[in-house]
Amino acid sequence: MRSLNLDQLRSLVAIADLGSFAAAAQALHLAAPTISLQISELEARVGAQLLQRGRRGALPTSAGALLVQRARGLLREAEETLAELGRHAKGLAGRVRLAAQTGVAAHVLPPLLLPLAAQRPEIELALSVLGTHHTLAGLLAGTLDIGIVTLPIEPQPGLQCRPWRRDPMLACLPPGWSAPARITPAWLADRPMIVNDASTQMQRMTLAWFGAAGQVPRPGIELNYTEAMKSLVAAGYGAAILPIEAEADDRHAMQLRPLSPPLWRELGLLHRPRELLAPSVWPVLDALLGAAQPKPHTAQAASRTKPTPRTVRT
């Protein structure tokens, strides 16, 4: 049996509700012969008589009553699907898959995306906490729509990368350590370190900072979850070099010191060309682009490398 035709089902339901071919034709703005042809084709398709025709109109047979019952659900689902597709095409509904690193997901994204959630409640945001390597793989595989990655990365065919944010990297030290006002590679190299694993841009940046000064650090723990790394620092397991995206909260005490020479973590927005993105992705991308930091001038950048040494709770 071939698939059912929604127009024919709509005509059948109209006849069952209104009691005659003529009334159904008028309600559906169709010619009476068109309604008759649709019902004849539908009966031939299902192999059963669906309507009992008489002088006073038409009544569903037992097979017709069963099909009318099922047709109501099919027609309602079809209308809901069309309405949802319309909202999707206008960017009013849909699922947006976004990936970001731990600190960005915890501290940066909520104030940016909460207003969007209130304005576009039908857009579902699926946030994954991933490093740059896995984010890039997800974008290339089509399982992500937008990725926030650590720069630099190699140009990727089919993906666009835009600079987005620049955060200072600071030395995170256990609260009991006696430390200078500014932390150098030579001072930190002799102390236990908590670092990101070898697959991450963060570890490469950290090792390059030590290497430029001819130093080799002592990694003791490798871990990619930033908040857990901060907890280990606060517990005294070692120091870490991490980007600080926001003022710390009140969970664990640790010391923050600026690095000498300074080090920055550059972030970029990675996504397919806009014309290839679902319309529901556009408002999320626009909200993120609207929060992009302007590229600082050299003097401004230098002024931001002098934070006051302090003990914070993170």
Side-chain angles (χ1 to χ4, degrees):
M1 183 179 68
R2 292 179 295 166
S3 59
L4 295 173
N5 182 294
L6 292 179
D7 289 334
Q8 294 172 353
L9 293 178
R10 190 173 290 106
S11 294
L12 176 66
V13 171
I15 294 169
D17 289 342
L18 301 174
S20 72
F21 281 67
Q26 185 176 2
L28 297 176
H29 306 288
L30 296 173
T34 301
I35 291 286
S36 297
L37 178 62
Q38 287 181 339
I39 298 304
S40 296
E41 290 179 346
L42 184 58
E43 289 178 328
R45 184 164 299 175
V46 301
Q49 184 178 354
L50 301 174
L51 295 168
Q52 183 66 49
R53 299 151 175 87
R55 289 184 177 181
R56 296 183 179 180
L59 294 174
T61 64
S62 60
L66 175 61
L67 186 54
V68 166
Q69 179 183 1
R70 299 293 178 86
R72 293 188 194 280
L74 292 172
L75 292 170
R76 181 170 57 253
E77 185 175 346
E79 290 171 359
E80 291 172 353
T81 299
L82 288 174
E84 184 177 349
L85 286 172
R87 294 193 299 272
H88 181 84
K90 295 177 182 178
L92 301 177
R95 191 167 189 263
V96 180
R97 303 160 300 176
L98 170 66
Q101 297 160 10
T102 310
V104 176
H107 301 299
V108 179
L109 293 181
L112 297 181
L113 298 179
L114 281 176
L116 181 64
Q119 298 166 8
R120 303 287 183 90
E122 291 185 275
I123 293 180
E124 177 191 356
L125 184 63
L127 177 61
S128 300
V129 177
L130 299 173
T132 294
H133 176 75
H134 292 98
T135 296
L136 180 57
L139 287 164
L140 292 174
T143 58
L144 292 172
D145 299 306
I146 304 173
I148 298 174
V149 298
T150 300
L151 302 178
I153 62 170
E154 293 292 328
Q156 300 295 326
L159 296 178
Q160 295 180 351
C161 186
R162 308 174 189 229
W164 186 58
R165 183 182 172 94
R166 192 170 188 260
D167 295 303
M169 302 279 285
L170 299 181
C172 302
L173 308 176
W177 285 16
S178 177
R182 302 180 74 84
I183 303 301
T184 64
W187 185 88
L188 197 55
D190 291 332
R191 287 161 176 83
M193 292 284 298
I194 302 165
V195 299
N196 296 90
D197 72 33
S199 69
T200 64
Q201 290 278 61
M202 295 293 293
Q203 190 188 99
R204 288 190 283 274
M205 291 171 58
T206 300
L207 295 181
W209 182 76
F210 279 102
Q215 300 291 332
V216 179
R218 293 171 49 197
I221 300 175
E222 292 190 1
L223 187 66
N224 284 341
Y225 188 64
T226 303
E227 299 305 307
M229 293 173 71
K230 293 177 182 177
S231 296
L232 291 173
V233 170
Y237 284 89
I241 295 178
L242 295 171
I244 302 300
E245 298 94 355
E247 288 299 321
D249 57 41
D250 294 329
R251 285 179 295 174
H252 303 289
M254 69 177 183
Q255 301 181 78
L256 296 182
R257 295 289 189 274
L259 300 176
S260 179
L263 182 63
W264 296 86
R265 194 269 311 270
E266 307 273 355
L267 293 177
L269 287 180
L270 198 59
H271 56 86
R272 288 177 294 164
R274 188 183 183 96
E275 61 271 14
L276 299 181
L277 295 173
S280 57
V281 180
W282 299 349
V284 178
L285 181 59
D286 289 342
L288 294 172
L289 290 173
Q293 295 174 344
K295 190 172 182 179
H297 297 295
T298 302
Q300 292 174 328
S303 68
R304 292 178 59 195
T305 64
K306 300 178 181 179
T308 303
R310 65 191 190 276
T311 298
V312 299
R313 305 186 69 83
T314 182

